[in-house]
C-alpha cells in the first residue's frame, strides 16, 4: 500500500497542476485568436482607406502612421489593447510574428468564388463585403505562471488566423447584386477546426491562396 501511495502521489499532483494550467492555455489561445481577428479587420480597413490593394502597408502594424488622424488614433488604441491582453495571458509579445495578405479583391478567382459577396439575411439586414484581408500570427506562450511552466516547461508555440471584412449595408428591399459569401471567408469549420488542417481544398482556402502576395510583420 505504501508503494502504491509513493507511486500515485506524483501522478495526482501533476494532474492537479495540469488542471490548473489548461484553462491558462485556453485563455492564451483565445487571446491570440482575438488578436488575429482584430489585426485582420484593421488590415482590411487600412487597405481600403489607403487604396493599397497590394503589397506592404506603411505603418501597419504597429506604428499606426496614417494620414487620417481618426484611423491612426483607433489603431494606437487597438495596438495597446492587443499588447495588454496578450501579455496578461502569458504570450511573449517579442515573439509575435505574422503576415497579412494582399486584398482578397486581388484574387485570380472570379464570380461566385471571389469578392464582392453578400452576407446576412436576404429578407432583412444584408451587407456586401467589398474588401477583406487574411492575417496569420504565431507567438510563444511561456510567461503564464508557475502551473503552466510545470506542464509546458519550454512553453508552447501558438498560432491563429482570421479574415477581416470591410462591409457596406445593402438595402433590404433591393435585389441582390452579388452572390452570397457562403463559406469563402471562413478560417475554421463548424467544429472550430482550422480549415488549413481539416479541409485544405475549402473555398476559403482557395480564395486566400489565390492572392498575389503576403507581407510579413513582427520582429
Amino acid at each position: 500500500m505504501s508503494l502504491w501511495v509513493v507511486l500515485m502521489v506524483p501522478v495526482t499532483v501533476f494532474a492537479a497542476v495540469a488542471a490548473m494550467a489548461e484553462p491558462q492555455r485556453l485563455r492564451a489561445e483565445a487571446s491570440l485568436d482575438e488578436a488575429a481577428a482584430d489585426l485582420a479587420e484593421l488590415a482590411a480597413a487600412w487597405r481600403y482607406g489607403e487604396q493599397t490593394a497590394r503589397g506592404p502597408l506603411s505603418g501597419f502594424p504597429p506604428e499606426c502612421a496614417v494620414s487620417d488622424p481618426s484611423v491612426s488614433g483607433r489603431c494606437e488604441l487597438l495596438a495597446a489593447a492587443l499588447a495588454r491582453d496578450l501579455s496578461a495571458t502569458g504570450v511573449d509579445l517579442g515573439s509575435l510574428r505574422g503576415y497579412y495578405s494582399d486584398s482578397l479583391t486581388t484574387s485570380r478567382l472570379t464570380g461566385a468564388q471571389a469578392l464582392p459577396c453578400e452576407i446576412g439575411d436576404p429578407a432583412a439586414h444584408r451587407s456586401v463585403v467589398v474588401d477583406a484581408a487574411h492575417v496569420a500570427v504565431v507567438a510563444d506562450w511561456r510567461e503564464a505562471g508557475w502551473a503552466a511552466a510545470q506542464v509546458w516547461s519550454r512553453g508552447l508555440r501558438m498560432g491563429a488566423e482570421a479574415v477581416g471584412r470591410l462591409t457596406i449595408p445593402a438595402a433590404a428591399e433591393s435585389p441582390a447584386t452579388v452572390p452570397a459569401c457562403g463559406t469563402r471567408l471562413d478560417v475554421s469549420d463548424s467544429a472550430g477546426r482550422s480549415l488549413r488542417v481539416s479541409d485544405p481544398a475549402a473555398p476559403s482556402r482557395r480564395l486566400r491562396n489565390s492572392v498575389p502576395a503576403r507581407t510579413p510583420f513582427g520582429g
Side-chain angles (χ1 to χ4, degrees), residues 159-173:
E161 62 178 329
V163 170
R165 311 171 184 180
L166 187 72
T167 63
I168 58 174
E173 66 275 7

Side-chain angles (χ1 to χ4, degrees), residues 32 95-98 136-140 157-160:
L32 199 62
S95 70
L96 185 67
R97 303 288 187 274
V137 295
V138 294
D140 293 329
R157 190 72 161 164
M158 295 182 171

Side-chain angles (χ1 to χ4, degrees), residues 5-163:
V5 171
V6 169
L7 292 174
M8 288 304 298
V9 165
V11 174
T12 304
V13 170
F14 183 82
V17 173
M20 295 169 56
E22 182 64 11
Q24 296 176 341
R25 182 185 66 82
L26 294 175
R27 284 194 295 270
E29 289 181 343
S31 183
L32 199 62
D33 285 341
E34 291 174 5
D38 288 341
L39 287 170
E41 293 287 347
L42 183 60
W46 207 279
R47 282 209 179 282
Y48 191 80
E50 296 288 290
Q51 294 298 291
T52 307
R54 290 182 170 88
L57 288 165
S58 178
F60 176 89
E63 293 88 353
C64 300
V66 66
S67 55
D68 186 337
S70 63
V71 173
S72 179
R74 289 195 295 272
C75 172
E76 290 170 357
L77 289 173
L78 173 61
L82 289 177
R84 183 175 59 250
D85 292 346
L86 289 172
S87 295
T89 59
V91 175
D92 176 11
L93 288 176
S95 70
L96 185 67
R97 303 288 187 274
Y99 66 75
Y100 56 93
S101 72
D102 288 355
S103 167
L104 297 191
T105 61
T106 66
S107 166
R108 297 182 295 272
L109 302 179
T110 60
Q113 302 178 84
L115 295 183
C117 62
E118 189 173 89
I119 57 176
D121 184 349
H125 303 290
R126 294 158 32 223
S127 297
V128 175
V129 180
V130 294
D131 208 344
H134 175 231
V135 164
V137 295
V138 294
D140 293 329
W141 179 63
R142 55 189 177 202
E143 301 175 359
W146 179 84
Q150 306 312 303
V151 181
W152 298 284
S153 59
R154 297 183 180 180
L156 290 174
R157 190 72 161 164
M158 295 182 171
E161 62 178 329
V163 170

